[in-house]
Amino acid sequence: MKNIHRLPTSTDVARLAGVSQSAVSRTFSRRGSVSEQTRAKVVAAADQLGYRPNALPAIMQGQRSQMIALVTGRMQNPFYARVLQALTNALQQQGQQVLVSCVDSDHALDDAINQSMRYRVDAIVSALAVITPATAASLSRTGIPVVAFNNVQNAPGVSSVNSDNETAGRQAAAHLMTRGCQHFGFIHGPQDSPAARQRWQGFSVYLAEHGVNDIASACGDFSYQSGAAAALQLWREGSGPQGLFCANDLMALGAMDTLRQTLGVKIPDDVAVIGYDNTDASAWDAYQLSSFDQDIETMAKETLAILEHYRSSKQSIVRTVPALLLARASSA
Amino acid sequence: MKNIHRLPTSTDVARLAGVSQSAVSRTFSRRGSVSEQTRAKVVAAADQLGYRPNALPAIMQGQRSQMIALVTGRMQNPFYARVLQALTNALQQQGQQVLVSCVDSDHALDDAINQSMRYRVDAIVSALAVITPATAASLSRTGIPVVAFNNVQNAPGVSSVNSDNETAGRQAAAHLMTRGCQHFGFIHGPQDSPAARQRWQGFSVYLAEHGVNDIASACGDFSYQSGAAAALQLWREGSGPQGLFCANDLMALGAMDTLRQTLGVKIPDDVAVIGYDNTDASAWDAYQLSSFDQDIETMAKETLAILEHYRSSKQSIVRTVPALLLARASSA
DNA sequence: TTGTAAGCGTTATCAG
DNA sequence: CTGATAACGCTTACAA
């Protein structure tokens, strides 16, 4: 006796409809041709049985799985949340599915990738910096496309989509200079974030080009708390900069709160602050934080375009999407 | 000639290792017995070829797919982001995968569920309120377990995990009364959120039991902006309540900003505010918003426990997890 | 401990 | 337009 809880198969439908299994397949796959009469019988039988086509066998036959793996960091960081949202949206519109992994260590990343591979995902999109050389190598050998999202990846065969961090860094510096700042500060992101480093690069190089070589800086890890701590450090070490650029919004918000409430520093009167990400909270009345908007929706679309292109060319591609400075009260 | 870009299969490995395909299967599935010698040959051949076991055939054989579908709302709402994080974490520890769908309309939800089903997910977890009767029915017929996350679901055969919204609502009222408030206000969530309704229920009933029948209220949609608008409305209509409970934190934060900056109302001197979710931002210096922590990690674990239990009992279960009031400066 | 062979539920090919 | 039939890459008896 068969298992009662087995889902109905195309064969079950075929039997009930009095047609061949292939007829059922053709009816649902929309390939090949089926007479209107047959289709009607099949459809009737199918929903009498509550039939749901099984996607797995098709994948085994070599069709694309329509699943992509997305590897991101922790959702506490609103940037990752937005990335997930944008990518999920874009993919679902195309009928693709998203297999997510939230990860916080290198080891876990490799693990997550290996797990996803077992399900034969069509591609891997990683918003995380680190892929070990071993993983990168074995990945490129499989020929499965990998897109680094907002992370320049030196690994060969890895495509990437990035916001133009360096130009943004330069813009931040220019904006603060225009506003009359003479002393500058920067709050770094985690060491392993290429994006954060590029922001620093643009910022510091621009300032150097304009005769400023002494930038006060402190290190953070992209969290609110680390931003608060960094601000404390910067202002304890001296009188504090007049222009502060932070590698992301969360740290900028933490810094703002500490500046205003603990250190009694006025924003923007005593110091102008700029962040990066245009997190929702940046627009809140309590902050009005100037920030760079990364246009994640466009980056998501670019990601899909890269994957589409890769299918024919097998070439890895690097795209850069400009970030837009939204000047708000924090730097007015 | 075979497709060059085909991934290596267990048969390829077997051929290279000079053993049977089943030997390879046994080596990787850890069932059955393999001699140390054979295993060594197999492993060597496998990573020479870059072999990755394919999970799909096993699923077709009736094994569990180790994938669960998660349906949530938009990640702009930090609550959903935390749910995703917690669930993903808990599942990945068990070697399970998460197929996500972010959804904002009923129609899209049914669609997302149907798509997931094609991949033979082991279960569906929905943090969204609405499942149409049709979907619910066809779902229960398939026997696939469904867990409503923080959404009481009247549909039969649907399990759920909820934070104790009603008790929390009562606690909020009690807390505000103890503090000496006499006039109360509430900002509602979306109409279709059972959780938000239960919070209101607890809040209003407790107050009624203590002689307060007149509660000023306005409607929001869980967003910061809607909270700001609701506050404006409440204070324009009268002198404003002394105790304000909001169906979630985002709305409470919006209300706080509007109260302080637009209306010049002091918190907590003129009005005490309580939110729900214990969003990260609630703990920020600029807000110090009292809030209920839902202990999402526990709820995630309960979800897995329910699924585990369901496997043997086929019984749907309802669990309630207490929410903890974190009293901060906004209601001090 | 091994290998052989029969499925799993589709799609793809090819006669009718 | 339709229906057999052979894959797809595994797991799982069963036999050796």
Side-chain angles (χ1 to χ4, degrees):
Chain A
M1 170 162 177
K2 291 192 174 181
N3 184 352
I4 291 292
H5 280 297
R6 191 173 62 72
L7 291 168
T9 71
S10 61
T11 309
D12 298 331
V13 175
R15 189 166 26 233
L16 180 59
V19 299
S20 73
Q21 182 274 329
S22 349
V24 177
S25 171
R26 281 189 291 255
T27 300
F28 285 99
S29 68
R30 305 227 159 257
R31 301 176 197 279
S33 34
V34 206
S35 70
E36 202 42 63
Q37 200 178 4
T38 303
R39 147 165 281 120
K41 282 193 292 187
V42 169
V43 169
D47 57 43
Q48 179 180 333
L49 256 35
Y51 170 68
R52 321 250 184 177
N54 185 341
L56 274 23
I59 303 171
M60 283 180 40
Q61 306 279 9
Q63 296 203 352
R64 308 205 340 254
S65 65
Q66 308 273 64
M67 285 194 277
I68 74 111
L70 172 62
V71 186
T72 77
R74 323 208 120 246
M75 291 294 129
Q76 267 74 339
N77 186 335
F79 170 71
Y80 290 127
R82 279 185 60 192
V83 170
L84 174 66
Q85 178 69 52
L87 235 23
T88 304
N89 260 125
L91 284 164
Q92 278 176 343
Q93 276 176 18
Q94 306 193 348
Q96 312 243 95
Q97 299 295 310
V98 181
L99 208 57
V100 272
S101 308
C102 300
V103 144
D104 52 7
S105 72
D106 307 12
H107 173 66
L109 199 170
D110 287 8
D111 220 59
I113 290 182
N114 282 321
Q115 283 297 325
S116 310
M117 295 272 303
R118 301 187 57 233
Y119 293 88
R120 297 303 187 250
V121 294
D122 293 329
I124 296 175
V125 177
S126 169
L128 246 57
V130 201
I131 296 184
T132 66
T135 305
S138 90
L139 229 41
S140 83
R141 208 166 46 162
T142 65
I144 187 177
V146 177
V147 181
F149 197 99
N150 205 40
N151 275 289
V152 208
Q153 211 70 18
N154 47 3
V158 175
S159 300
S160 68
V161 183
N162 301 286
S163 86
D164 193 345
N165 296 294
E166 195 160 338
T167 300
R170 299 179 64 88
Q171 270 183 52
H175 180 76
L176 291 174
M177 277 199 127
T178 303
R179 201 190 155 284
C181 299
Q182 295 184 326
H183 300 112
F184 300 85
F186 184 79
I187 301 183
H188 287 279
Q191 285 309 312
D192 58 7
S193 164
R197 278 229 283 272
Q198 292 180 321
R199 291 163 203 172
W200 161 250
Q201 186 70 13
F203 188 68
S204 59
V205 167
Y206 182 95
L207 288 179
E209 287 169 4
H210 291 74
V212 180
N213 291 298
D214 185 26
I215 305 174
S217 76
C219 292
D221 61 7
F222 280 162
S223 72
Y224 173 93
Q225 285 76 14
S226 74
L232 219 50
Q233 185 189 326
L234 286 179
W235 265 259
R236 287 258 161 88
E237 282 173 354
S239 60
Q242 300 158 333
L244 177 66
F245 181 37
C246 305
N248 82 340
D249 277 2
L250 233 39
M251 295 195 297
L253 298 171
M256 285 179 78
D257 277 346
T258 294
L259 288 173
R260 292 190 294 202
Q261 305 200 8
T262 307
L263 300 170
V265 175
K266 296 228 185 319
I267 301 168
D269 307 319
D270 301 331
V271 57
V273 182
I274 304 182
Y276 207 103
D277 279 350
N278 191 27
T279 298
D280 284 345
S282 305
W284 292 354
D285 292 349
Y287 296 102
Q288 286 296 321
L289 170 65
S290 296
S291 185
F292 287 91
D293 187 88
Q294 302 205 44
D295 196 356
I296 296 178
E297 281 68 33
T298 299
M299 290 169 74
K301 280 182 198 129
E302 285 289 348
T303 303
L304 300 203
I306 286 176
L307 291 176
E308 183 58 46
H309 189 83
Y310 185 91
R311 210 162 289 145
S312 40
S313 74
K314 300 290 175 198
Q315 301 250 322
S316 60
I317 301 173
V318 175
R319 280 255 186 294
T320 302
V321 177
L324 180 66
L325 174 58
L326 300 177
R328 299 202 180 94
S330 75
S331 68
Chain B
M1 170 166 176
K2 290 193 176 180
N3 183 353
I4 292 291
H5 281 296
R6 189 173 62 72
L7 291 167
T9 71
S10 61
T11 309
D12 298 331
V13 175
R15 187 165 29 230
L16 179 59
V19 298
S20 74
Q21 181 273 327
S22 12
V24 178
S25 170
R26 281 189 291 255
T27 300
F28 285 98
S29 68
R30 304 230 161 256
R31 303 175 197 281
S33 35
V34 207
S35 70
E36 202 42 63
Q37 198 178 6
T38 304
R39 149 165 279 119
K41 283 192 292 188
V42 168
V43 169
D47 57 43
Q48 179 180 333
L49 256 34
Y51 170 67
R52 322 251 185 174
N54 185 341
L56 273 24
I59 303 171
M60 283 180 41
Q61 307 275 7
Q63 297 201 354
R64 307 203 344 251
S65 66
Q66 310 271 69
M67 285 195 277
I68 73 112
L70 172 61
V71 186
T72 77
R74 322 209 122 246
M75 291 294 130
Q76 268 74 338
N77 186 336
F79 170 71
Y80 290 127
R82 279 186 60 192
V83 170
L84 174 66
Q85 178 68 53
L87 235 23
T88 304
N89 261 124
L91 285 163
Q92 278 176 342
Q93 276 176 17
Q94 305 192 349
Q96 313 243 91
Q97 300 294 310
V98 182
L99 208 58
V100 272
S101 308
C102 300
V103 144
D104 51 7
S105 71
D106 307 11
H107 172 67
L109 199 169
D110 287 8
D111 220 59
I113 290 182
N114 282 321
Q115 280 299 324
S116 310
M117 295 272 303
R118 300 187 58 233
Y119 292 87
R120 297 303 186 246
V121 294
D122 293 329
I124 296 175
V125 177
S126 169
L128 247 56
V130 200
I131 296 185
T132 66
T135 306
S138 90
L139 230 40
S140 82
R141 206 166 48 162
T142 66
I144 188 177
V146 177
V147 181
F149 197 99
N150 204 42
N151 275 289
V152 208
Q153 211 71 19
N154 47 3
V158 174
S159 300
S160 69
V161 184
N162 301 287
S163 87
D164 193 346
N165 296 294
E166 195 159 338
T167 301
R170 299 179 65 87
Q171 271 184 52
H175 180 75
L176 292 174
M177 276 200 127
T178 303
R179 202 192 154 283
C181 300
Q182 295 184 326
H183 299 113
F184 300 85
F186 183 80
I187 301 183
H188 287 279
Q191 286 308 313
D192 57 9
S193 165
R197 279 228 284 270
Q198 291 180 320
R199 291 163 203 171
W200 161 250
Q201 186 69 12
F203 187 68
S204 58
V205 168
Y206 181 95
L207 288 179
E209 287 169 4
H210 291 74
V212 180
N213 291 298
D214 185 26
I215 306 174
S217 77
C219 292
D221 61 7
F222 279 162
S223 72
Y224 174 92
Q225 284 76 15
S226 74
L232 219 49
Q233 184 190 328
L234 287 178
W235 265 261
R236 288 258 162 89
E237 282 174 356
S239 60
Q242 301 159 332
L244 177 65
F245 182 38
C246 305
N248 82 339
D249 276 3
L250 233 38
M251 293 195 298
L253 297 171
M256 285 180 78
D257 277 347
T258 294
L259 288 173
R260 292 189 295 202
Q261 305 201 7
T262 306
L263 301 169
V265 175
K266 295 226 184 319
I267 299 169
D269 307 318
D270 300 332
V271 57
V273 182
I274 303 182
Y276 207 104
D277 281 349
N278 191 27
T279 298
D280 284 345
S282 305
W284 292 355
D285 292 349
Y287 297 102
Q288 287 295 323
L289 170 64
S290 297
S291 186
F292 287 91
D293 187 272
Q294 301 206 43
D295 196 358
I296 295 178
E297 281 68 33
T298 299
M299 290 169 73
K301 279 181 199 129
E302 286 290 348
T303 302
L304 300 202
I306 287 176
L307 291 176
E308 184 58 46
H309 189 83
Y310 185 91
R311 211 163 287 143
S312 41
S313 74
K314 300 290 174 196
Q315 300 250 322
S316 60
I317 301 173
V318 175
R319 281 253 186 294
T320 302
V321 177
L324 180 66
L325 174 58
L326 300 176
R328 299 203 180 93
S330 75
S331 68

